[in-house]
Amino acid sequence: HEVVGREEREKMRALQDELARRGEGRRNASRVVGAVLFNTLVLTIFGLTLWLFRPALYGSIRAVLLFAIVFLIVIITSSLIAHLPQRVHPELIPVAFAAVIVSILFDPRIGMIAAMVLAALIGGQSEFRGTNALFLNLIGGTAAAFTVRIVRHRNQSHFAMFAIAGAYLIAAVAIGLTLGLPFIDIARSAGWGALNAVASVSIAMVLLPGAEQFAGVDTDFTLLEWSDLNRPLLRRLSLEAPGTYGHTIAIANLAESASNAIGANGLLARVGALYHDIGKLKKPQYFAENQAKG
């Protein structure tokens, strides 16, 4: 039977606000714990994949650091995209960039798994829930991992751009037809995906030489450059030691064919064979193949 005046009312309102604040704090703490657990589980899948199926990569500190840097680039970029003032565009998340870098440096299987893990990781974040981030980046990333196999020279990177852009187009059409979206929305999504494809491949090609040196890996691009017969060292061999040069070309062809026949790296064998006698340039005339008959 106490009268509730202004002072008592303010006390009760303050109590209500404090209880609400504490409850919200507990909910926020549980969300943080859940998010950390989610991210840890997803990233653990990739770590276990390396440990079980690519132990040499898992044992290389530089390779693991490179994976971490690539993943971090994708995550930071995704955060920036999520906080754009306009509508969220999941098509711009650079999962394709990570897939291209990893596939070229190591192999397409690891690139595909990295793309799938990143798609699940980004798609599970609160900012991208309710969007098509998971599906779009899964399709775009796996396409990037597969299509780099058709690129044999750096100037052929436009093939990968077209293939990845085509994958985003097909994914946008599939989502649009499923949800009954208007044509303009489908076209806009495909356009953002094409922009992502061009940017991802272009940036990956620019960063690739530095990534090769950092990881201590020689990619097929580098091997192809070394196998160019117009390189100064090989031109010297052809002019100063023509007999050794002819022998070298024959051995290179044999080594490449034999390696390809047994599933080994024919390009690596060819490059090794091309340079295996390069030391004869020091004294070409000391070797029989470079001496005149008689």
Side-chain angles (χ1 to χ4, degrees):
H1 302 288
E2 294 182 8
V3 177
V4 178
R6 183 186 300 273
E7 183 179 356
E8 289 79 9
R9 181 172 177 272
E10 292 299 327
K11 288 180 179 180
M12 288 191 291
R13 174 170 290 180
L15 176 62
Q16 182 184 26
D17 292 343
E18 177 63 18
L19 291 174
R21 186 187 66 81
R22 291 181 182 180
E24 185 66 25
R26 285 193 293 269
R27 286 194 293 272
N28 288 338
S30 66
R31 287 172 186 162
V32 170
V33 172
V36 170
L37 182 60
F38 174 87
N39 297 338
T40 302
L41 288 173
V42 173
L43 291 173
T44 299
I45 293 173
F46 188 71
L48 287 174
T49 301
L50 290 180
W51 180 51
L52 293 174
F53 302 110
R54 294 293 188 274
L57 291 180
Y58 187 82
S60 170
I61 294 178
R62 291 198 292 179
V64 172
L65 278 176
L66 183 66
F67 282 122
I69 292 170
V70 171
F71 275 44
L72 194 60
I73 290 173
V74 175
I75 291 169
I76 291 174
T77 307
S78 302
S79 177
L80 295 175
I81 292 170
H83 291 90
L84 288 175
Q86 296 84 12
R87 176 185 169 189
V88 174
H89 296 292
E91 303 90 349
L92 292 176
I93 299 172
V95 172
F97 160 79
V100 170
I101 285 282
V102 173
S103 298
I104 293 177
L105 283 177
F106 304 110
D107 65 77
R109 288 185 184 180
I110 293 298
M112 182 187 68
I113 295 172
M116 296 172 69
V117 168
L118 279 170
L121 182 67
I122 300 301
Q125 305 307 309
S126 58
E127 292 84 356
F128 293 103
R129 288 179 195 147
T131 70
N132 302 312
L134 174 59
F135 178 74
L136 290 170
N137 288 290
L138 180 64
I139 300 300
T142 52
F146 287 136
T147 53
V148 293
R149 300 184 65 174
I150 66 176
V151 180
R152 299 289 291 175
H153 300 277
R154 295 184 200 272
N155 58 6
Q156 293 178 333
S157 57
H158 58 278
F159 292 131
M161 294 179 187
F162 287 133
I164 298 169
Y168 276 110
L169 171 62
I170 296 171
V173 170
I175 290 291
L177 295 178
T178 302
L179 301 179
L181 299 177
F183 174 78
I184 187 64
D185 288 346
I186 297 175
R188 189 179 293 114
S189 177
W192 288 119
L195 178 62
N196 185 0
V198 173
S200 293
V201 176
S202 300
I203 295 172
M205 290 300 172
V206 170
L207 297 180
L208 191 59
E212 288 184 56
Q213 292 185 1
F214 182 84
V217 174
D218 296 319
T219 65
D220 285 352
F221 291 124
T222 301
L223 294 177
L224 283 167
E225 292 172 0
W226 287 346
S227 67
D228 183 4
L229 298 180
N230 290 316
R231 292 184 70 85
L233 198 56
L234 292 177
R235 286 184 64 84
R236 274 191 61 200
L237 188 68
S238 67
L239 295 173
E240 300 176 26
T244 300
Y245 179 78
H247 157 76
T248 293
I249 297 299
I251 293 297
N253 293 334
L254 287 171
E256 183 177 25
S257 299
S259 297
N260 289 334
I262 63 173
N265 190 336
L267 180 59
L268 179 61
R270 179 177 184 81
V271 172
L274 286 175
Y275 292 91
H276 84 283
D277 264 351
I278 206 71
K280 292 183 179 181
L281 277 173
K282 191 72 175 176
K283 295 287 185 181
Q285 68 276 16
Y286 279 26
F287 302 93
E289 67 268 22
N290 300 313
Q291 295 171 359
K293 292 184 178 180

